[in-house]
Amino acid sequence: MKPPRLCKISNLGPALFSLAPGTDLADLRFPDLICAQPAKLKPWILTTPASRGIGLQLARRLLNTTDLPVVATARKNIDETRSQILKGLDVDPQRLSVFELDVTDESTITTTTSHLSTLFPPQTHYLHLAFLLPGILHPEKSPAQISYADALDTFRINALGPLMLIKHFSPFLPRKSTPLAPLSSSSSPPSSPNPDPVASSLPKQAVMALLSARVGSISDNKLGGWYSYRASKAAVNQIVKTFDIELQRRSGEKAMCIGLHPGTVKTGLSKEFWGNVK
């Protein structure tokens, strides 16, 4: 049996131990005292934005298949977004928080993270899973179709959007020294009638996932076109790689950044191209 860890006198308080009446402090053997362990931080989840499409469905899925608090965002119509996320779900609505956030307005990001610092204090909570999903598509087929305003809009939302989200939400991720509570949501919540162990399992480490796209790959570009969208998603891939290197230094094995390629999904962004969806 290993000997108890030795505590520093300055860390000891009356709440940690008690002495029998008449005990001489000179006779006290401090190695016999067990140090108080630091509290383990509790996880929460972020999906931004979540007003429609992939973000909306992810927020619903995470509420239905985990028991963790879920934070969602929308540029406007917060109450409507909340209703859409909760529609038909048999879950505790208190687990869902919805905030107004526009990735083209950094002040809305700072306001949201300020609220979250109160809702999930860094001393007791950490961000375990984050989906950063802002996206817009202006599909140019030739250079002649490129609009300066549309291309700038594409980069502001698709590339600078997730970059600003990383800037303000990454402080919520765990560091190497962060004590993490065991995940209690690795199985479906008790209220779920059909447990789905694959869908409901969460990664062991914290994950910040950015929405990329196959068309952002340079080596895979065989068709051309979609100049601004392809370039913005190539930028996302570089952001993912660069931030993951940062996390390796800062968080070790406790956090990572990944890029997700969802394929062509039947959402409003890709409606013009639904004919290509099998």
Side-chain angles (χ1 to χ4, degrees):
M1 182 170 136
K2 292 183 179 180
R5 185 160 53 93
L6 180 63
C7 295
K8 294 181 180 179
I9 297 291
S10 59
N11 289 341
L12 296 177
L16 294 180
F17 65 96
S18 60
L19 302 177
T23 300
D24 189 340
L25 287 177
D27 297 330
L28 191 61
R29 298 173 59 236
F30 286 101
D32 292 338
L33 300 174
I34 304 299
C35 290
Q37 298 297 319
K40 293 185 176 181
L41 276 58
K42 299 177 182 178
W44 56 280
I45 295 173
L46 169 71
T47 302
T48 177
S51 56
R52 58 183 179 177
I54 294 175
L56 171 62
Q57 297 307 320
L58 275 174
R60 288 172 53 80
R61 188 71 165 173
L62 291 165
L63 276 172
N64 202 40
T65 58
T66 78
D67 58 8
L68 300 185
V70 174
V71 173
T73 76
R75 288 189 299 113
K76 56 184 179 179
N77 301 328
I78 300 302
D79 292 338
E80 180 182 338
T81 297
R82 181 179 178 83
S83 297
Q84 286 295 317
I85 294 174
L86 292 172
K87 186 177 181 181
L89 298 183
D90 183 17
V91 299
D92 180 3
Q94 297 301 316
R95 287 176 48 217
L96 174 65
S97 301
V98 184
F99 294 92
E100 181 178 333
L101 188 152
D102 183 345
V103 295
T104 65
D105 182 354
E106 190 175 5
S107 67
T108 66
I109 306 177
T110 57
T111 298
T112 296
T113 53
S114 177
H115 287 311
L116 290 174
S117 294
T118 301
L119 187 61
F120 303 113
Q123 298 81 8
T124 57
H125 293 77
Y126 77 98
L127 179 56
H128 184 77
L129 184 59
F131 290 98
L132 313 185
L133 310 169
I136 193 171
L137 170 63
H138 295 292
E140 316 98 340
K141 295 181 179 179
S142 71
Q145 294 180 341
I146 298 174
S147 158
Y148 188 95
D150 288 347
L152 184 60
D153 196 36
T154 298
F155 275 92
R156 289 180 69 206
I157 294 174
N158 293 3
L160 288 177
L163 191 59
M164 290 298 99
L165 292 173
I166 285 176
K167 172 185 175 181
H168 292 284
F169 282 98
S170 61
F172 292 101
L173 293 171
R175 304 182 75 91
K176 289 180 180 178
S177 60
T178 304
L180 306 181
L183 290 173
S184 61
S185 54
S186 57
S187 58
S188 297
S191 61
S192 175
N194 300 305
D196 184 347
V198 175
S200 61
S201 61
L202 291 171
K204 293 181 180 179
Q205 65 273 83
V207 174
M208 185 163 277
L210 277 63
L211 193 64
S212 183
R214 181 175 177 178
V215 296
S217 168
I218 295 175
S219 61
D220 189 64
N221 187 354
K222 304 295 194 299
L223 299 176
W226 290 24
Y227 288 85
S228 61
Y229 187 77
R230 284 184 184 274
S232 70
K233 289 303 183 179
V236 168
N237 294 338
Q238 187 64 270
I239 291 169
V240 168
K241 177 64 176 179
T242 304
F243 183 54
D244 187 58
I245 293 172
E246 168 71 17
L247 286 178
Q248 290 174 35
R249 290 193 294 259
R250 191 178 75 179
S251 303
E253 298 295 321
K254 291 186 177 179
M256 65 190 303
C257 183
I258 64 173
L260 299 176
H261 161 52
T264 303
V265 183
K266 283 192 173 182
T267 65
L269 182 142
S270 61
K271 189 172 183 179
E272 185 180 344
F273 310 98
W274 283 4
N276 300 325
V277 180
K278 296 180 181 179

